[in-house]
Amino acid sequence: MFQTRITEMFGIRYPIICGGMFWIGRAELVAAVANAGGVGFIVGSTFGENLDALRAEIRKARDLTDGPIGLNINLFPSARPQPIEEWVRIAVEEKIPVVETSGRAPGAIVEALHEGGVKIMHKVPGVRYARTAERLGCDAVAIVGYECGGHPGLEMVTSLVLVPLCADAVDIPVVAGGGFADGRGLAAALALGADAVLMGTRFMATQECYGHPAWKEYMVKATEADTAYVMRSVGNPIRVAKNDLTDKVQEMEARGTTIEELLPVIGGAPNIAFEKGQVENTLVSVGQSMGLIQDVPTVQELFDRIIEQATEARERLDHMLPTKAAKS
Ligand SMILES: Cc1cc2nc3c(=O)[nH]c(=O)nc-3n(C[C@H](O)[C@H](O)[C@H](O)COP(=O)(O)O)c2cc1C
Protein backbone atom coordinates (compact mmCIF):
# COMPACT_ATOMS: atom_id res chain seq x y z
CA MET A 1 0.00 0.00 0.00
CA PHE A 2 1.22 3.52 -0.86
CA GLN A 3 4.29 2.28 -2.71
CA THR A 4 6.10 5.22 -4.29
CA ARG A 5 9.45 6.12 -5.81
CA ILE A 6 10.54 7.22 -2.32
CA THR A 7 9.56 3.97 -0.55
CA GLU A 8 11.54 2.14 -3.20
CA MET A 9 14.56 4.47 -3.15
CA PHE A 10 14.88 4.65 0.65
CA GLY A 11 13.83 1.03 1.27
CA ILE A 12 10.94 1.95 3.60
CA ARG A 13 7.46 0.44 4.04
CA TYR A 14 5.53 3.72 4.13
CA PRO A 15 6.09 7.09 2.42
CA ILE A 16 6.47 8.83 5.79
CA ILE A 17 9.61 10.77 6.67
CA CYS A 18 10.55 12.47 9.93
CA GLY A 19 12.59 15.58 9.10
CA GLY A 20 15.83 16.18 10.99
CA MET A 21 15.31 18.23 14.15
CA PHE A 22 18.21 19.98 15.85
CA TRP A 23 18.73 18.89 19.47
CA ILE A 24 15.73 16.55 19.67
CA GLY A 25 16.01 14.27 16.60
CA ARG A 26 18.02 11.61 18.40
CA ALA A 27 18.58 7.85 18.27
CA GLU A 28 15.34 6.86 20.05
CA LEU A 29 13.11 8.87 17.71
CA VAL A 30 14.95 7.99 14.52
CA ALA A 31 15.01 4.28 15.41
CA ALA A 32 11.31 4.31 16.32
CA VAL A 33 10.49 5.87 12.95
CA ALA A 34 12.58 3.23 11.18
CA ASN A 35 10.90 0.42 13.15
CA ALA A 36 7.49 1.80 12.22
CA GLY A 37 8.37 1.73 8.51
CA GLY A 38 9.65 5.23 7.73
CA VAL A 39 12.95 7.08 7.88
CA GLY A 40 14.21 9.88 10.09
CA PHE A 41 17.45 11.80 10.54
CA ILE A 42 19.96 12.27 13.31
CA VAL A 43 21.17 15.88 13.03
CA GLY A 44 24.92 16.44 12.65
CA SER A 45 24.80 19.98 14.06
CA THR A 46 23.33 18.76 17.37
CA PHE A 47 26.78 17.33 18.08
CA GLY A 48 28.81 20.13 16.45
CA GLU A 49 32.50 19.29 16.48
CA ASN A 50 32.00 16.30 18.77
CA LEU A 51 32.21 13.74 16.00
CA ASP A 52 32.59 10.79 18.38
CA ALA A 53 29.24 11.70 19.97
CA LEU A 54 27.59 11.83 16.54
CA ARG A 55 29.00 8.43 15.62
CA ALA A 56 27.87 7.03 18.98
CA GLU A 57 24.34 8.35 18.41
CA ILE A 58 24.17 6.71 14.96
CA ARG A 59 25.37 3.41 16.44
CA LYS A 60 22.91 3.70 19.32
CA ALA A 61 20.11 4.07 16.76
CA ARG A 62 21.46 1.05 14.86
CA ASP A 63 21.25 -1.02 18.04
CA LEU A 64 17.55 -0.13 18.28
CA THR A 65 16.52 -0.97 14.72
CA ASP A 66 17.40 -2.86 11.56
CA GLY A 67 15.70 -0.13 9.53
CA PRO A 68 17.37 2.83 7.78
CA ILE A 69 19.01 5.58 9.86
CA GLY A 70 19.37 8.94 8.08
CA LEU A 71 21.74 11.84 8.80
CA ASN A 72 20.79 15.51 8.46
CA ILE A 73 23.59 17.75 7.19
CA ASN A 74 22.60 21.30 7.94
CA LEU A 75 24.28 23.75 5.55
CA PHE A 76 22.70 26.91 7.03
CA PRO A 77 25.12 29.79 7.64
CA SER A 78 26.39 29.42 11.18
CA ALA A 79 28.28 31.67 13.59
CA ARG A 80 30.67 28.78 14.27
CA PRO A 81 32.29 26.78 11.44
CA GLN A 82 30.55 23.43 10.96
CA PRO A 83 32.51 20.21 10.24
CA ILE A 84 30.58 19.45 7.04
CA GLU A 85 33.31 17.31 5.44
CA GLU A 86 33.58 15.20 8.58
CA TRP A 87 29.81 14.67 8.67
CA VAL A 88 30.01 13.49 5.05
CA ARG A 89 32.83 11.12 5.95
CA ILE A 90 30.82 9.75 8.88
CA ALA A 91 27.76 9.26 6.65
CA VAL A 92 29.85 7.20 4.24
CA GLU A 93 31.78 5.25 6.87
CA GLU A 94 28.65 4.48 8.89
CA LYS A 95 26.84 3.38 5.71
CA ILE A 96 24.03 5.89 6.15
CA PRO A 97 21.58 5.15 3.29
CA VAL A 98 20.19 8.70 2.98
CA VAL A 99 21.31 12.18 3.95
CA GLU A 100 18.91 15.10 4.29
CA THR A 101 20.60 18.38 3.41
CA SER A 102 19.13 21.82 4.03
CA GLY A 103 20.02 25.49 4.27
CA ARG A 104 22.19 25.91 1.18
CA ALA A 105 22.71 24.10 -2.13
CA PRO A 106 24.61 20.88 -1.39
CA GLY A 107 26.72 20.97 -4.59
CA ALA A 108 30.05 20.69 -2.75
CA ILE A 109 29.14 17.38 -1.09
CA VAL A 110 27.01 15.59 -3.71
CA GLU A 111 29.89 13.73 -5.33
CA ALA A 112 31.46 12.51 -2.09
CA LEU A 113 28.11 11.25 -0.79
CA HIS A 114 27.25 9.50 -4.05
CA GLU A 115 30.69 7.90 -4.29
CA GLY A 116 30.04 6.55 -0.80
CA GLY A 117 26.69 5.11 -1.89
CA VAL A 118 24.59 7.66 0.06
CA LYS A 119 21.35 9.02 -1.42
CA ILE A 120 20.66 12.74 -1.01
CA MET A 121 17.31 14.35 -0.24
CA HIS A 122 17.76 18.12 -0.32
CA LYS A 123 15.15 20.16 1.56
CA VAL A 124 14.09 23.49 0.08
CA PRO A 125 11.50 26.22 0.78
CA GLY A 126 10.88 27.16 -2.88
CA VAL A 127 10.54 25.69 -6.37
CA ARG A 128 13.60 27.34 -7.87
CA TYR A 129 15.81 25.70 -5.23
CA ALA A 130 14.22 22.35 -6.08
CA ARG A 131 15.33 22.80 -9.68
CA THR A 132 18.85 23.55 -8.45
CA ALA A 133 18.82 20.41 -6.30
CA GLU A 134 17.89 18.33 -9.34
CA ARG A 135 20.56 19.98 -11.47
CA LEU A 136 23.18 19.26 -8.79
CA GLY A 137 22.31 15.56 -8.89
CA CYS A 138 20.28 15.16 -5.72
CA ASP A 139 18.21 11.98 -5.66
CA ALA A 140 15.07 13.55 -4.18
CA VAL A 141 13.85 16.92 -3.08
CA ALA A 142 11.75 17.80 -0.03
CA ILE A 143 9.80 21.03 -0.34
CA VAL A 144 8.46 22.78 2.75
CA GLY A 145 5.78 25.46 2.81
CA TYR A 146 5.18 28.56 4.93
CA GLU A 147 3.34 26.48 7.58
CA CYS A 148 6.42 24.50 8.54
CA GLY A 149 8.37 24.44 11.76
CA GLY A 150 12.04 25.34 11.35
CA HIS A 151 12.88 27.45 8.30
CA PRO A 152 10.05 28.41 5.90
CA GLY A 153 10.93 30.38 2.78
CA LEU A 154 11.23 34.14 2.41
CA GLU A 155 8.36 34.13 -0.06
CA MET A 156 5.77 32.82 2.42
CA VAL A 157 4.13 30.37 -0.02
CA THR A 158 2.10 27.49 1.44
CA SER A 159 2.67 23.78 0.90
CA LEU A 160 -0.63 23.49 -0.96
CA VAL A 161 0.84 25.63 -3.73
CA LEU A 162 4.50 24.60 -3.55
CA VAL A 163 4.05 20.82 -3.69
CA PRO A 164 2.22 20.54 -7.05
CA LEU A 165 4.42 23.27 -8.55
CA CYS A 166 7.50 21.33 -7.44
CA ALA A 167 6.11 18.02 -8.73
CA ASP A 168 5.67 19.69 -12.14
CA ALA A 169 9.09 21.36 -12.04
CA VAL A 170 11.37 18.37 -11.39
CA ASP A 171 11.62 14.74 -12.45
CA ILE A 172 13.22 13.47 -9.23
CA PRO A 173 10.88 12.30 -6.46
CA VAL A 174 9.27 15.06 -4.38
CA VAL A 175 8.64 14.89 -0.64
CA ALA A 176 5.97 17.24 0.73
CA GLY A 177 6.61 18.97 4.06
CA GLY A 178 5.15 21.79 6.11
CA GLY A 179 1.78 21.49 7.83
CA PHE A 180 1.35 17.72 7.46
CA ALA A 181 0.48 15.85 10.64
CA ASP A 182 -1.97 13.05 9.89
CA GLY A 183 -3.16 10.52 7.33
CA ARG A 184 -5.40 13.00 5.54
CA GLY A 185 -2.26 15.05 5.00
CA LEU A 186 -0.44 12.00 3.65
CA ALA A 187 -3.24 11.28 1.18
CA ALA A 188 -3.32 14.94 0.18
CA ALA A 189 0.45 15.07 -0.33
CA LEU A 190 0.33 12.03 -2.61
CA ALA A 191 -2.64 13.50 -4.48
CA LEU A 192 -0.67 16.73 -5.00
CA GLY A 193 2.04 14.77 -6.78
CA ALA A 194 4.45 14.03 -3.93
CA ASP A 195 6.10 10.64 -3.38
CA ALA A 196 6.13 10.94 0.41
CA VAL A 197 5.25 13.23 3.25
CA LEU A 198 7.73 14.79 5.69
CA MET A 199 6.74 15.83 9.19
CA GLY A 200 8.67 17.48 11.98
CA THR A 201 6.23 19.13 14.37
CA ARG A 202 3.97 16.05 14.66
CA PHE A 203 6.92 13.82 15.57
CA MET A 204 7.96 16.21 18.37
CA ALA A 205 4.81 15.21 20.25
CA THR A 206 5.62 11.49 20.44
CA GLN A 207 6.77 9.38 23.35
CA GLU A 208 10.14 8.64 21.80
CA CYS A 209 11.04 12.23 20.93
CA TYR A 210 13.46 13.90 23.31
CA GLY A 211 11.76 16.76 25.19
CA HIS A 212 10.26 17.79 28.52
CA PRO A 213 6.70 16.50 29.17
CA ALA A 214 5.54 20.11 29.77
CA TRP A 215 6.70 21.08 26.26
CA LYS A 216 4.77 18.19 24.73
CA GLU A 217 1.73 19.12 26.84
CA TYR A 218 2.05 22.70 25.56
CA MET A 219 1.94 21.40 21.97
CA VAL A 220 -1.21 19.39 22.71
CA LYS A 221 -2.98 22.44 24.16
CA ALA A 222 -1.73 25.07 21.71
CA THR A 223 -3.57 25.87 18.49
CA GLU A 224 -2.59 26.41 14.87
CA ALA A 225 -2.52 30.16 15.60
CA ASP A 226 0.11 29.89 18.33
CA THR A 227 3.18 30.15 16.12
CA ALA A 228 5.06 33.21 14.90
CA TYR A 229 7.09 33.77 11.71
CA VAL A 230 10.12 35.86 12.64
CA MET A 231 13.54 36.94 11.31
CA ARG A 232 12.39 37.36 7.72
CA SER A 233 13.67 40.94 7.65
CA VAL A 234 17.21 39.69 8.25
CA GLY A 235 16.94 36.99 5.59
CA ASN A 236 16.69 33.96 7.90
CA PRO A 237 13.00 33.34 8.64
CA ILE A 238 11.95 30.80 11.25
CA ARG A 239 8.57 29.63 12.52
CA VAL A 240 8.52 29.29 16.29
CA ALA A 241 6.15 29.13 19.25
CA LYS A 242 4.52 32.53 19.78
CA ASN A 243 5.43 34.29 23.04
CA ASP A 244 6.43 37.71 24.42
CA LEU A 245 9.86 37.37 22.84
CA THR A 246 8.44 36.77 19.34
CA ASP A 247 6.15 39.80 19.83
CA LYS A 248 9.22 41.86 20.67
CA VAL A 249 11.20 40.52 17.70
CA GLN A 250 8.30 41.29 15.37
CA GLU A 251 8.08 44.84 16.75
CA MET A 252 11.81 45.32 16.20
CA GLU A 253 11.50 43.96 12.66
CA ALA A 254 8.57 46.27 11.91
CA ARG A 255 10.75 49.22 13.00
CA GLY A 256 13.57 48.04 10.73
CA THR A 257 16.13 46.27 12.90
CA THR A 258 19.51 44.69 12.14
CA ILE A 259 20.89 41.26 12.88
CA GLU A 260 23.39 42.89 15.27
CA GLU A 261 20.51 44.36 17.28
CA LEU A 262 18.54 41.13 17.19
CA LEU A 263 21.27 38.69 18.21
CA PRO A 264 21.52 39.71 21.88
CA VAL A 265 17.71 39.68 22.13
CA ILE A 266 17.21 36.23 20.63
CA GLY A 267 20.46 34.62 21.65
CA GLY A 268 19.26 33.45 25.10
CA ALA A 269 18.62 29.84 25.98
CA PRO A 270 17.45 28.15 22.78
CA ASN A 271 16.71 24.72 24.23
CA ILE A 272 14.83 25.55 27.43
CA ALA A 273 11.54 24.35 25.95
CA PHE A 274 12.96 20.88 25.38
CA GLU A 275 15.01 20.79 28.60
CA LYS A 276 12.63 22.50 31.04
CA GLY A 277 9.30 22.76 29.26
CA GLN A 278 9.56 26.57 29.35
CA VAL A 279 8.03 28.28 26.32
CA GLU A 280 8.69 31.93 27.31
CA ASN A 281 11.93 33.81 26.48
CA THR A 282 12.95 31.35 23.81
CA LEU A 283 12.65 30.85 20.08
CA VAL A 284 11.55 27.23 19.76
CA SER A 285 10.77 25.91 16.28
CA VAL A 286 7.29 24.54 15.77
CA GLY A 287 4.90 24.54 12.81
CA GLN A 288 1.24 25.44 12.37
CA SER A 289 0.38 21.72 12.35
CA MET A 290 0.69 21.98 16.15
CA GLY A 291 -3.04 22.73 15.95
CA LEU A 292 -3.63 19.18 14.69
CA ILE A 293 -1.88 17.58 17.67
CA GLN A 294 -4.20 16.22 20.35
CA ASP A 295 -2.04 13.64 22.10
CA VAL A 296 1.45 12.22 22.59
CA PRO A 297 1.36 8.71 21.09
CA THR A 298 4.22 6.32 20.45
CA VAL A 299 5.68 6.58 16.96
CA GLN A 300 4.18 3.17 16.12
CA GLU A 301 0.71 4.33 17.19
CA LEU A 302 1.15 7.46 15.11
CA PHE A 303 2.14 5.46 12.01
CA ASP A 304 -0.81 3.06 12.46
CA ARG A 305 -3.16 6.02 12.72
CA ILE A 306 -1.68 7.84 9.73
CA ILE A 307 -2.00 4.77 7.51
CA GLU A 308 -5.57 4.12 8.65
CA GLN A 309 -6.58 7.75 8.05
CA ALA A 310 -4.88 7.85 4.64
CA THR A 311 -6.69 4.65 3.65
CA GLU A 312 -10.00 6.15 4.79
CA ALA A 313 -9.27 9.32 2.83
CA ARG A 314 -8.65 7.25 -0.29
CA GLU A 315 -11.87 5.29 0.21
CA ARG A 316 -13.77 8.55 0.76
CA LEU A 317 -12.57 9.79 -2.62
CA ASP A 318 -13.34 6.45 -4.25
CA HIS A 319 -16.94 6.75 -3.06
CA MET A 320 -17.22 10.21 -4.59
CA LEU A 321 -16.05 9.08 -8.01
CA PRO A 322 -18.54 7.30 -10.27
CA THR A 323 -17.37 3.79 -11.15
CA LYS A 324 -16.89 2.78 -14.78
CA ALA A 325 -19.94 0.50 -14.51
CA ALA A 326 -22.15 3.34 -13.24
CA LYS A 327 -21.00 5.61 -16.09
CA SER A 328 -21.84 3.17 -18.89
C1 LIG B 1 12.29 21.79 16.61
C2 LIG B 1 12.65 21.68 15.16
C3 LIG B 1 13.98 21.62 14.80
C4 LIG B 1 14.34 21.51 13.45
N1 LIG B 1 15.66 21.42 13.13
C5 LIG B 1 16.01 21.22 11.83
C6 LIG B 1 17.37 21.01 11.48
O1 LIG B 1 18.27 21.01 12.31
N2 LIG B 1 17.67 20.80 10.16
C7 LIG B 1 16.69 20.79 9.20
O2 LIG B 1 17.00 20.57 8.04
N3 LIG B 1 15.40 20.98 9.52
C8 LIG B 1 15.03 21.20 10.79
N4 LIG B 1 13.71 21.35 11.13
C9 LIG B 1 12.68 21.26 10.07
C10 LIG B 1 12.07 19.85 9.99
O3 LIG B 1 13.03 18.89 9.63
C11 LIG B 1 10.94 19.80 8.96
O4 LIG B 1 11.40 20.28 7.71
C12 LIG B 1 9.73 20.62 9.37
O5 LIG B 1 9.45 20.46 10.74
C13 LIG B 1 8.51 20.19 8.54
O6 LIG B 1 7.41 20.98 8.80
P1 LIG B 1 6.33 20.67 9.97
O7 LIG B 1 6.98 21.17 11.21
O8 LIG B 1 5.16 21.49 9.57
O9 LIG B 1 6.06 19.21 9.99
C14 LIG B 1 13.34 21.49 12.45
C15 LIG B 1 11.98 21.55 12.83
C16 LIG B 1 11.63 21.65 14.16
C17 LIG B 1 10.17 21.71 14.52
Side-chain angles (χ1 to χ4, degrees), residues 131-152:
R131 286 202 188 91
T132 306
E134 180 171 58
R135 184 170 44 77
L136 292 173
C138 294
D139 303 281
V141 66
I143 187 145
V144 289
Y146 180 57
E147 308 92 324
C148 76
H151 290 273

Side-chain angles (χ1 to χ4, degrees), residues 19-22 72 74 102 123 148-149 178-179 198-201 204 285:
M21 289 186 281
F22 177 71
N72 174 286
N74 196 328
S102 58
K123 190 163 61 188
C148 76
L198 178 142
M199 303 176 187
T201 296
M204 274 202 284
S285 289

Side-chain angles (χ1 to χ4, degrees), residues 131-196:
R131 286 202 188 91
T132 306
E134 180 171 58
R135 184 170 44 77
L136 292 173
C138 294
D139 303 281
V141 66
I143 187 145
V144 289
Y146 180 57
E147 308 92 324
C148 76
H151 290 273
L154 285 162
E155 283 134 3
M156 303 190 287
V157 183
T158 63
S159 304
L160 197 57
V161 172
L162 287 180
V163 174
L165 281 174
C166 188
D168 287 344
V170 298
D171 292 327
I172 54 177
V174 171
V175 175
F180 298 97
D182 63 20
R184 294 167 297 184
L186 169 59
L190 298 178
L192 290 171
D195 291 277

